């Protein structure tokens, strides 16, 4: 059985030169946004990383090969492909072993990034504890992955489609540092504040990098969640989205959507219910996260050479 990491040209060059690299996920492309905005966004996010003098590594499994960085044509094809699997820890190995094609969630992207020696990863929102988890048991594998795999994940907090207080509780139980960037409140994706205080706050990328290194020096498994509030100019007021989120949740319930299908279903519902305006905010926050992740990656390179 053969296994290898397939690097894109620019990631291979970055590894040789010691340039900072930022991992990016692909489920956001295949299951998080509609075509063609998904591909446009993925390209814009990669450009943001390059502008910040780091190299983007979008991660995906294409025909059984694990790619660390996609060439432009591969990204285009993935954005239009149908029936792409959504890969988390549970099905990542099976997809590679069977020659399948799959997009990596936060959990699977962390695993792949770590295999490739990439310490920082930028995305939009992480999976978390779903509302009603007390009966559905629906808790994203992203949370456990953060407690296992030493990658710093930059996200805009958790979406209000989730139960945010329970998500923070589970992260605390699992020993995951939740660090909000430059403000006291934990952000809620489209909103700068969830109304809940963040467990930790850090105001400079260098401090976040130091905290990452300190965890490994102390022998603590797992990564860190960095919650980066959406830029003020792109924020959508909470009272605009609350009824839309409630309607999305009710539709999921009515249609009996469960397991892996829940998050993509809710995202798609909200996209249509806002006539696509939620997407503009989504794009801005991912770009914002890519910039911060690049800064953290640069500090990690400076600190460790
Ligand atoms: N939340 C978002 N956008 C996304 C996702 C979550 O706001 O695209 C995707 C990410 O890939 C995340 C995954 O890792 O959904 C979580 O899915 P689940 O809840 O099934 O674990
Ligand atoms: Mn789930």
């Amino acid at each position: 059985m053969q296994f290898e990491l397939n690097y894109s040209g620019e990631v291979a060059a970055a590894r040789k030169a010691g340039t900072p690299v930022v991992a990016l996920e692909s489920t956001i492309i295949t299951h998080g946004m509609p075509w063609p905005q998904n591909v446009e966004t993925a390209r814009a996010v990669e450009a943001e990383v390059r502008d910040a003098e780091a190299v983007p590594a979008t991660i995906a499994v294409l025909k059984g090969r694990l790619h660390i960085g996609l060439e432009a044509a591969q990204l285009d094809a993935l954005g239009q492909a149908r029936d792409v699997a959504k890969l988390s820890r549970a099905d990542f190995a099976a997809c590679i072993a069977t020659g399948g094609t799959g997009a990596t969630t936060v959990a699977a992207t962390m695993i792949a990034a770590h295999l490739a020696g990439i310490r920082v990863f930028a995305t939009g929102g992480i999976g978390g504890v779903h509302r009603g988890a007390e009966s559905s048991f629906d808790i994203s594998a992203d949370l456990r992955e953060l407690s296992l795999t030493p990658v710093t994940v930059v996200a805009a907090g958790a979406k209000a489609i989730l139960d945010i207080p329970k998500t923070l509780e589970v992260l605390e139980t699992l020993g995951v540092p939740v660090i909000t960037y430059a403000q006291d409140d934990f952000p809620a994706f489209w909103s700068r504040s969830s109304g809940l205080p963040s467990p930790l706050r850090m105001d400079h990328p260098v401090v976040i990098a130091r905290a990452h290194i300190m965890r490994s020096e102390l022998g603590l498994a797992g990564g860190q969640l960095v919650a980066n509030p959406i830029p003020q100019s792109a924020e959508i007021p909470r009272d605009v989205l609350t009824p839309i989120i409630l309607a999305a949740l009710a539709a999921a319930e009515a249609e009996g959507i469960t397991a892996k299908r829940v998050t993509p279903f809710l995202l798609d519902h909200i996209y249509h219910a806002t006539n696509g305006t939620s997407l503009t905010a989504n794009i801005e926050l991912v770009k914002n996260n890519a910039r911060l992740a690049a800064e953290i990656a640069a500090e990690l390179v400076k600190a460790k050479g």
Side-chain angles (χ1 to χ4, degrees):
M1 189 118 243
Q2 217 181 349
F3 168 69
E4 62 179 39
L5 298 168
N6 300 275
Y7 294 102
S8 64
E10 88 182 307
V11 174
R15 288 166 59 81
K16 273 202 191 129
T19 311
V21 178
V22 172
L24 301 168
E25 64 154 305
S26 45
T27 295
I28 191 174
I29 302 170
T30 55
H31 295 71
M33 290 182 184
W35 187 82
Q37 289 98 330
N38 60 350
V39 173
E40 286 161 20
T41 303
R43 280 206 211 104
V45 172
E46 288 195 343
E48 212 65 58
V49 172
R50 293 185 193 106
D51 283 354
E53 284 162 39
V55 167
T58 301
I59 290 173
V61 178
L62 306 178
K63 296 186 182 141
R65 290 162 63 92
L66 175 55
H67 288 265
I68 310 293
L70 298 181
E71 306 298 348
Q74 293 171 329
L75 184 65
D76 273 2
L78 186 69
Q80 297 180 65
R82 298 198 175 250
D83 301 322
V84 176
K86 173 182 162 189
L87 303 178
S88 190
R89 170 174 278 263
D91 32 27
F92 183 56
C95 183
I96 297 171
T98 59
T101 290
T104 51
T105 59
V106 169
T109 305
M110 288 180 76
I111 295 169
H114 180 50
L115 285 169
I118 302 170
R119 290 171 285 179
V120 185
F121 157 29
T123 185
I126 56 156
V129 180
H130 280 268
R131 297 187 193 203
E134 58 275 28
S135 58
S136 69
F137 278 43
D138 190 350
I139 301 176
S140 175
D142 292 352
L143 301 186
R144 183 166 169 274
E145 203 59 50
L146 280 160
S147 75
L148 292 174
T149 302
V151 173
T152 287
V153 179
V154 182
K159 274 204 172 107
I161 57 174
L162 301 170
D163 187 322
I164 298 177
K166 287 195 182 79
T167 299
L168 290 173
E169 286 292 350
V170 169
L171 286 165
E172 186 193 9
T173 301
L174 293 172
V176 176
V178 176
I179 302 161
T180 297
Y181 183 58
Q183 73 175 30
D184 293 331
D185 273 14
F186 183 69
F189 203 80
W190 291 293
S191 318
R192 284 178 64 80
S193 173
S194 62
L196 298 165
S198 173
L200 296 164
R201 167 183 173 155
M202 291 181 188
D203 289 41
H204 300 286
V206 66
V207 183
I208 298 170
R210 268 188 221 140
H212 178 111
I213 292 166
M214 187 56 68
R215 281 185 72 80
S216 82
E217 287 184 353
L218 292 171
L220 297 173
Q224 319 188 99
L225 175 61
V226 175
N228 188 25
I230 185 172
Q232 219 133 30
S233 55
E235 191 178 23
I236 303 181
R238 228 186 305 176
D239 53 342
V240 173
L241 283 168
T242 300
I244 293 169
I245 288 168
L246 293 176
L249 290 163
E253 167 97 33
E255 294 187 33
I257 306 291
T258 57
K260 273 176 180 290
R261 292 173 59 218
V262 173
T263 301
F265 178 90
L266 296 172
L267 297 178
D268 182 62
H269 193 284
I270 293 165
Y271 168 75
H272 286 107
T274 60
N275 293 317
T277 57
S278 63
L279 188 58
T280 316
N282 199 340
I283 294 166
E284 288 312 309
L285 67 84
V286 188
K287 285 160 65 179
N288 192 45
N289 295 343
R291 286 190 289 272
L292 178 57
E295 289 174 33
I296 298 167
E299 294 297 346
L300 281 169
V301 167
K302 270 193 232 163
K304 274 203 163 170

